[in-house]
Amino acid sequence: MDSPNAPTPLSALLARHTPEDAKERQDLELMRHHARTLPAPFSRAQLGAHFTGSAVVVDPDGSRVLMVLHGKLHRWLQPGGHSDAVDAGDMEATALREAREETGCRIRLHPTAPRPLDVDVHTIPARRDEPEHLHLDVRYLVYAEDPESLAHDPSESSGAQWLTWEEALSRADEAPLRRMLDKARRLVMSRTP
C-alpha cells in the first residue's frame, strides 16, 4: 500500500520538469501545488482548475508544425484537451489521444524530446455551462507518422493546418505558446525522429 506522502505519477512527472523562463517556473510551482491538493486533478468537474494535456505535432522531417483553430476560443493552438477516464491520469496518454482525435493522424511521442516538453497554466473564460477556471496544461512534442492523413474534428476545432515554423510562430498570440513552439523547433531542427 502506498504511503500517504508517496509522490503520485503526476507529482513525479512535474518534479523532473525544468522550466525555461519565469512564467513557466511560476506555472510549474502552481501545478505542483494543485497536483498535491486537488481531490480530482484530471476531472472537468473539478471547479477552479484541472489538468489537461496537449501536443506540438510535427511532420516526420520536422519542417512543419500542425496548429488547430480552437472552436470555442477562436485561437490557433496546439491540439489538446481534457483527460478522459481511459487515460488513467497519464498525461502522455491524454496528449497523444487528443492529438490523434483532433488531427486524424497516427501520432507518436518524439523519441528525444523531454517529457513533458513544456507546462503552462492559462485561464479559460466562463461560458454558460462552466465558470472561469484554470487549465494546468502538460505539453509534449510528438510527430505525425502520416501527415497527409490530416482531418480535423469539427466538434473540436474550426480547422487544422500544417504550417512552417515561421507561420506557426506568427499565429502564436501569447508568450507561452511561442516559448513552447521555440522549444519544439530547436529540438526538431537539431535532430528528427
Side-chain angles (χ1 to χ4, degrees):
M1 179 171 192
D2 290 339
S3 115
N5 296 324
T8 64
L10 178 60
S11 293
L13 175 78
L14 296 172
R16 69 177 179 259
H17 182 66
T18 303
E20 186 168 288
D21 62 21
K23 164 76 164 94
E24 190 177 15
R25 191 169 14 269
Q26 178 184 9
D27 288 351
L28 181 59
E29 286 309 311
L30 182 59
M31 292 170 84
R32 288 173 175 165
H33 168 76
H34 282 306
R36 290 188 309 271
T37 60
L38 288 175
F42 308 107
S43 173
R44 288 180 84 162
Q46 179 70 62
L47 298 178
H50 48 260
F51 281 85
T52 58
S54 66
V56 179
V57 181
V58 298
D59 65 2
D61 69 6
S63 63
R64 298 180 301 163
V65 61
L66 187 133
M67 292 186 81
V68 297
L69 183 57
H70 194 283
K72 294 176 183 168
L73 299 176
H74 308 291
R75 296 176 55 217
W76 286 98
L77 300 169
Q78 74 280 6
H82 296 96
S83 293
D84 284 351
V86 69
D87 303 332
D90 180 339
M91 298 314 301
E92 284 182 13
T94 298
L96 288 166
R97 179 185 49 73
E98 286 286 337
R100 288 178 186 125
E101 288 175 1
E102 292 188 31
T103 69
C105 297
R106 286 190 313 273
I107 302 292
R108 300 276 185 248
L109 285 166
H110 192 281
T112 60
R115 296 180 185 171
L117 173 69
D118 191 79
V119 298
D120 180 59
V121 176
H122 50 271
T123 302
I124 300 299
R127 292 192 298 264
R128 67 181 180 281
D129 57 341
E130 287 183 330
E132 180 179 280
H133 61 282
L134 297 177
H135 276 186
L136 311 168
D137 199 33
V138 182
R139 300 161 158 191
Y140 292 86
L141 178 58
V142 304
Y143 68 97
E145 295 178 334
D146 56 344
E148 69 285 350
S149 296
L150 176 62
H152 87 279
D153 179 350
S155 69
E156 295 285 341
S157 68
S158 300
Q161 291 182 352
W162 286 107
L163 304 170
T164 66
W165 288 102
E166 291 74 25
E167 290 168 334
L169 285 162
S170 74
R171 292 187 187 183
D173 60 0
E174 63 180 14
L177 181 55
R178 287 188 296 277
R179 178 192 65 226
M180 177 190 65
L181 290 170
D182 277 334
K183 284 184 191 181
R185 179 171 59 173
R186 287 192 308 265
L187 278 162
V188 300
M189 292 302 166
S190 65
R191 54 192 172 274
T192 57

